[in-house]
Every structure is written in structure tokens, then in C-alpha cells.
Amino acid sequence: MEELFIGWLKEYGYSILFLWSILEGEMGLIMAGIMTHTGDMNYFMAIFVAGLGGFTGDQIYFYIGRFNKGLIQRKLHAQRRKFAIAHLLLKKYGWPIIFMQRYMYGLRTVIPMSIGITKYPAKQFAAINLLSAWVWAAITITPAYIFGAEILNVLAFSKDQWYYALPIAVGFLFAIHTYFQKLEQYFLQKRRHRNQ
């Protein structure tokens, strides 16, 4: 099964990378970085394709917000706190938040939708989004390209010694989740103080 998956990556790598970048991204980009290290992908082409995928994904979310405001407010009622934070960030920081939203765990899909709901110019969003997507792709792929051998060694160790690797991975993910929950609470408290 593993060999089949690796075979698919080698044969359809750019298509998989494009689709993965639309849906999620980072793990696919790290994989692309490793494949550029091993010579199975071209470094610049991988960045170009991953950037286009990330751009496409955020454009989809932006236009979902632009043309489905009522539907979003009804269906994503549980996410209203995140939409409130996204509006707060856009008001406070302006266009740089479009550039930075890719690195904001838990808000990556909400921010483009939230911007789409506002009257923010679509062409301006697209231009910033495209540049941001290529920077994001380069920043994520390059370290995996440079440290590809080390990452492959860690993956081989993790496969053989999964009982060590699993708790470390779970702890790391828990720490990231806790950090962004605290950040969310911080922005919501600031908003409450401002409204009082």
C-alpha cells in the first residue's frame, strides 16, 4: 500500500499537490519539499503549483462569502466567534491579515469567507492572496527541501518506533490547539472591552 501511494505521488505529484493545497496544505507542501529533495519534483514548479492551489482554495472561500452571506450566517452559526475574530482582525490590520491568514490555525477558511462578506474589493483580495500563496508555498517547501534527508530519517524512526513518536506528535498538536484557543479568547476579550 505504501509503495502504491509513493508511486502515485511520483506519477501524479503536481496534481495531488495542487488539490491538497486547495483543501489543506502544509502536510502536502512538506511532502513536496521532500520530493524536491529526492529529485522526484522540480523545486520551482512545486512552489508554483502549491501557490496556485492555495490561491484557488482561498478564492473559493472568498466567493462563498461574497455570494452566500445569508447561508453562511445560518449554516455556520457555531463558527460565529471565529467570524467575529476575523472581522476584528481585518478592521485592525487591514490587508496584511489577508497575507497572514494562511498561518492562523482555525481561521484559515473563515478569514477569506469573512472578507468575502464585507465590501472588500475582489481584485485587491485576489492580488494579495496570490502573492501570499506563493510566499506561503516557498516558506513551507524550502525547509523540507533543504532538510529532506533529516526529515526522511525522522519518518523512518517514527515508523519503526511509533510508540515514542505518537505521544510527541499528540503533545505538539495539543500545544498548537491550546495556543490558538488562548489567542481566540484574547481577541474576544478585547472586543468585549471595546464594546463596554
Coordinates of all heavy atoms in Angstrom, one line a residue, residues 5 25 27-29 32 64 68 74 78 83 91 104 112 115 123 126 135 148 186 189:
F5 N 1.1 4.2 -2.8 CA 0.9 5.7 -2.5 C 2.1 6.5 -3.0 O 2.0 7.5 -3.7 CB 0.7 5.9 -1.0 CG 0.5 7.3 -0.6 CD1 -0.6 8.0 -1.0 CD2 1.5 8.0 0.1 CE1 -0.8 9.3 -0.7 CE2 1.3 9.3 0.5 CZ 0.1 10.0 0.1
G25 N -3.0 21.8 2.9 CA -1.8 22.4 2.5 C -0.5 22.0 3.1 O 0.2 21.3 2.5
M27 N 0.9 19.8 5.2 CA 1.5 18.4 5.1 C 1.8 18.1 3.6 O 2.9 17.5 3.3 CB 0.5 17.4 5.6 CG 0.4 17.4 7.1 SD 2.0 17.2 8.0 CE 2.4 15.5 7.5
G28 N 1.0 18.5 2.7 CA 1.3 18.3 1.3 C 2.5 19.0 0.8 O 3.3 18.5 0.0
L29 N 2.7 20.2 1.3 CA 3.8 21.1 0.9 C 5.1 20.5 1.5 O 6.2 20.5 0.8 CB 3.7 22.5 1.4 CG 3.0 23.5 0.4 CD1 1.6 23.1 0.0 CD2 3.1 24.9 0.9
A32 N 5.9 17.7 -0.7 CA 6.5 18.2 -1.9 C 8.0 18.6 -1.7 O 8.8 18.4 -2.6 CB 5.7 19.4 -2.4
I64 N -17.6 32.2 -1.7 CA -18.7 31.6 -0.9 C -19.2 32.7 0.0 O -20.4 32.9 0.1 CB -18.2 30.4 -0.1 CG1 -18.0 29.2 -1.1 CG2 -19.2 30.0 1.0 CD1 -17.3 28.0 -0.4
N68 N -23.0 34.2 -0.7 CA -23.8 33.4 0.2 C -23.9 33.9 1.6 O -23.8 33.1 2.6 CB -23.4 31.9 0.2 CG -23.5 31.3 -1.2 OD1 -24.6 31.0 -1.6 ND2 -22.4 31.1 -1.9
R74 N -26.5 31.4 8.6 CA -27.4 30.4 9.1 C -26.7 29.0 9.3 O -26.8 28.5 10.4 CB -28.6 30.1 8.1 CG -29.6 31.2 8.0 CD -30.9 30.7 7.3 NE -30.6 30.1 6.0 CZ -30.5 30.8 4.9 NH1 -30.6 32.1 4.9 NH2 -30.2 30.2 3.7
A78 N -22.4 28.1 14.5 CA -21.5 27.7 15.5 C -20.1 28.3 15.4 O -19.3 28.4 16.4 CB -21.3 26.2 15.5
F83 N -15.8 34.1 13.1 CA -16.1 35.2 12.1 C -16.0 36.6 12.8 O -15.5 37.5 12.2 CB -17.6 35.0 11.6 CG -17.7 34.1 10.4 CD1 -18.0 32.8 10.6 CD2 -17.4 34.6 9.1 CE1 -18.1 31.9 9.5 CE2 -17.4 33.7 8.0 CZ -17.8 32.4 8.2
K91 N -10.4 44.6 10.5 CA -10.6 46.1 10.8 C -9.3 46.6 11.4 O -8.9 47.8 11.1 CB -11.7 46.3 11.9 CG -13.1 46.5 11.3 CD -14.0 46.8 12.4 CE -15.4 47.1 11.8 NZ -16.4 47.4 12.9
M104 N -2.8 31.1 10.3 CA -3.6 31.2 11.5 C -4.5 30.0 11.6 O -5.6 29.9 11.0 CB -4.4 32.5 11.4 CG -3.5 33.7 11.3 SD -4.4 35.3 11.2 CE -4.9 35.5 12.8
P112 N -11.0 34.2 4.7 CA -11.5 34.6 3.3 C -13.0 34.7 3.2 O -13.5 35.6 2.5 CB -10.9 33.4 2.5 CG -9.9 32.8 3.3 CD -10.2 33.0 4.7
I115 N -14.0 38.0 4.8 CA -13.6 39.1 3.9 C -14.6 39.2 2.7 O -15.0 40.3 2.3 CB -12.2 39.0 3.4 CG1 -11.2 39.2 4.6 CG2 -11.8 40.1 2.4 CD1 -9.8 38.8 4.3
K123 N -10.7 42.2 -6.6 CA -9.4 42.2 -7.3 C -8.2 42.4 -6.4 O -7.2 41.8 -6.5 CB -9.4 43.3 -8.4 CG -10.2 42.9 -9.6 CD -10.2 44.0 -10.7 CE -11.0 43.7 -11.9 NZ -11.1 44.7 -12.9
A126 N -7.7 39.2 -4.5 CA -7.0 38.2 -5.4 C -5.5 38.5 -5.5 O -4.7 37.5 -5.5 CB -7.7 38.2 -6.7
V135 N 4.3 32.9 -1.4 CA 5.2 33.1 -0.3 C 5.1 31.9 0.7 O 6.0 31.3 1.1 CB 5.0 34.5 0.4 CG1 5.8 34.5 1.7 CG2 5.4 35.6 -0.5
G148 N 15.6 17.6 3.7 CA 14.9 16.4 3.3 C 15.4 15.1 3.9 O 14.7 14.3 4.3
Y186 N -8.3 35.9 23.7 CA -7.7 37.2 23.8 C -8.4 38.2 22.9 O -8.7 39.3 23.4 CB -6.2 37.1 23.5 CG -5.5 38.5 23.3 CD1 -5.2 39.3 24.4 CD2 -5.2 39.0 22.0 CE1 -4.6 40.5 24.2 CE2 -4.6 40.2 21.8 CZ -4.3 41.0 22.9 OH -3.7 42.2 22.8
Q189 N -12.0 38.9 24.2 CA -12.0 39.8 25.4 C -11.7 41.2 25.0 O -12.3 42.1 25.5 CB -10.9 39.3 26.4 CG -11.4 38.1 27.2 CD -10.3 37.5 28.1 OE1 -9.2 38.0 28.1 NE2 -10.6 36.5 28.9

